[in-house]
């Protein structure tokens, strides 16, 4: 009896927390991910940051990514999935992971499940930051004044929001059906939003 309990305990300790932070462009995924990392000591995988680093290095991947990002389009799923697997394996095993900006399509979500299942892991929860469109546009235009990002301009922002609506937002239902979705009001102070996120994380 005791032996079984110790074995179970070891399994519990091995289980990582895998969180998908989800929302439209400008909803605050990156902002809140940094806070989660600081408080909970999780690893942070931001696919947007990975791609921007490659663009900075002017690598082959960076050249390809630049083409899509500056038009407000998504990088092809198969390429993103390969990148994700290699970043994940460079950081894990670890206490937990924040997936920031991945998945952005249903095929990416299926790939993430497969990648985690192959490592005896699974998505623990998806946290959605819910922000109205006019606020998203004004945040991104504001960020564009200093970010130097080729996608933070009015035309590209419109395109990114439409890509989000058509290709990414169906994931909300997808995670809802699996009972993993938690929606948080992403409008308001960063501290209040973070507090709401912590309430979810502390129950996991
Ligand atoms: P990302 O880097 O993921 O960027 P994002 O969606 O624009 O921003 P985020 O939601 O993280 O907002 P942030 O915290 O910065 O993607 C960029 C591009 O990379 C994509 O368009 C795509 O082309 C490509 N890409 C990335 N992942 C991909 C994938 N999986 N598949 C295919 N392509 C992929 O916040 C925005 C601003 O709001 C900041 O200035 C912040 O200070 C401010 N802000 C945050 N919270 C606030 C609050 N509560 N109140 C007021 N302002 C706030």
């Amino acid at each position: 009896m005791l032996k079984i309990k110790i074995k179970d305990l070891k399994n519990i300790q091995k289980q990582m927390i895998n969180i998908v932070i989800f929302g439209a462009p400008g909803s605050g995924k990156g902002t809140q991910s940094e806070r989660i990392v600081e408080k909970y000591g999780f690893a942070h995988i931001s696919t947007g940051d990975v791609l921007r680093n490659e663009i900075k290095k002017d690598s082959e991947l960076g050249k390809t990514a630049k083409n899509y990002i500056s038009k407000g389009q998504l990088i092809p799923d198969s390429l993103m999935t390969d990148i994700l697997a290699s970043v994940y394996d460079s950081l894990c095993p670890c206490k937990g992971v924040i997936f920031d900006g991945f998945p952005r399509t249903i095929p990416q979500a299926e790939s993430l499940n497969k990648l985690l299942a192959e490592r005896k892991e699974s998505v623990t929860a998806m946290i959605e930051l819910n922000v109205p469109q006019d606020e998203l546009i004004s945040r991104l235009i504001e960020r564009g004044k200093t970010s130097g990002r080729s996608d933070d301009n009015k035309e590209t922002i419109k395109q990114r929001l439409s890509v989000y609506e058509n290709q990414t937002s169906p994931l909300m239902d997808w995670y809802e059906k699996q009972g993993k979705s938690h929606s948080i009001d992403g409008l308001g102070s960063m501290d209040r939003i973070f507090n709401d996120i912590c309430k979810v994380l502390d129950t996991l």
Side-chain angles (χ1 to χ4, degrees):
M1 185 70 176
L2 186 64
K3 260 189 186 168
I4 293 168
K5 277 191 178 162
I6 289 169
K7 194 174 145 232
D8 285 349
L9 193 64
K10 279 187 180 160
N11 282 336
I12 289 165
Q13 283 171 341
K14 264 192 234 160
Q15 195 70 36
M16 281 169 45
I17 305 247
N18 293 293
I19 303 294
V20 170
I21 187 134
F22 184 85
S27 57
K29 302 183 294 289
T31 306
Q32 295 297 334
S33 294
E34 282 174 22
R35 292 173 172 225
I36 298 169
V37 167
E38 199 184 322
K39 176 164 178 184
Y40 293 91
F42 294 167
H44 178 199
I45 302 181
S46 159
T47 41
D49 285 350
V50 171
L51 295 169
R52 282 186 289 278
N53 274 338
E54 293 298 322
I55 293 174
K56 227 185 247 167
K57 286 192 278 178
D58 203 25
S59 65
E60 277 313 306
L61 169 59
K63 284 178 191 150
T64 308
K66 194 174 179 177
N67 213 11
Y68 290 96
I69 290 180
S70 59
K71 292 185 192 134
Q73 291 168 358
L74 297 181
I75 277 70
D77 287 338
S78 58
L79 186 55
M80 274 325 297
T81 303
D82 289 348
I83 296 169
L84 185 87
S86 98
V87 178
Y88 185 90
D89 287 336
S90 72
L91 296 170
C92 300
C94 57
K95 197 172 158 193
V97 179
I98 302 292
F99 294 93
D100 162 10
F102 192 103
R104 266 177 151 96
T105 62
I106 288 179
Q108 287 187 12
E110 288 167 344
S111 301
L112 178 60
N113 277 0
K114 185 164 173 271
L115 177 146
L116 292 175
E118 283 166 1
R119 290 153 182 82
K120 309 225 173 331
E121 296 289 340
S122 61
V123 169
T124 317
M126 178 275 239
I127 297 179
E128 184 226 345
L129 300 174
N130 188 359
V131 179
Q133 185 145 325
D134 53 350
E135 169 73 9
L136 296 170
I137 295 171
S138 77
R139 282 186 194 175
L140 292 173
I141 288 177
E142 194 52 39
R143 184 173 71 185
K145 291 179 187 165
T146 53
S147 68
R149 276 174 57 163
S150 63
D151 55 348
D152 280 348
N153 62 74
K154 217 168 186 178
E155 201 49 41
T156 315
I157 292 166
K158 261 171 61 188
Q159 172 62 19
R160 288 162 69 195
L161 290 173
S162 131
V163 166
Y164 173 78
E165 203 49 46
N166 296 326
Q167 299 186 47
T168 308
S169 69
L171 279 168
M172 275 191 271
D173 259 6
W174 199 81
Y175 279 112
E176 181 72 47
K177 282 186 186 134
Q178 298 172 36
K180 292 189 171 173
S181 162
H182 303 261
S183 183
I184 286 186
D185 178 5
L187 188 62
S189 83
M190 294 178 194
D191 286 348
R192 200 230 73 235
I193 296 164
F194 182 57
N195 202 33
D196 287 356
I197 294 175
C198 293
K199 281 187 200 153
V200 173
L201 292 179
D202 290 341
T203 64
L204 300 176

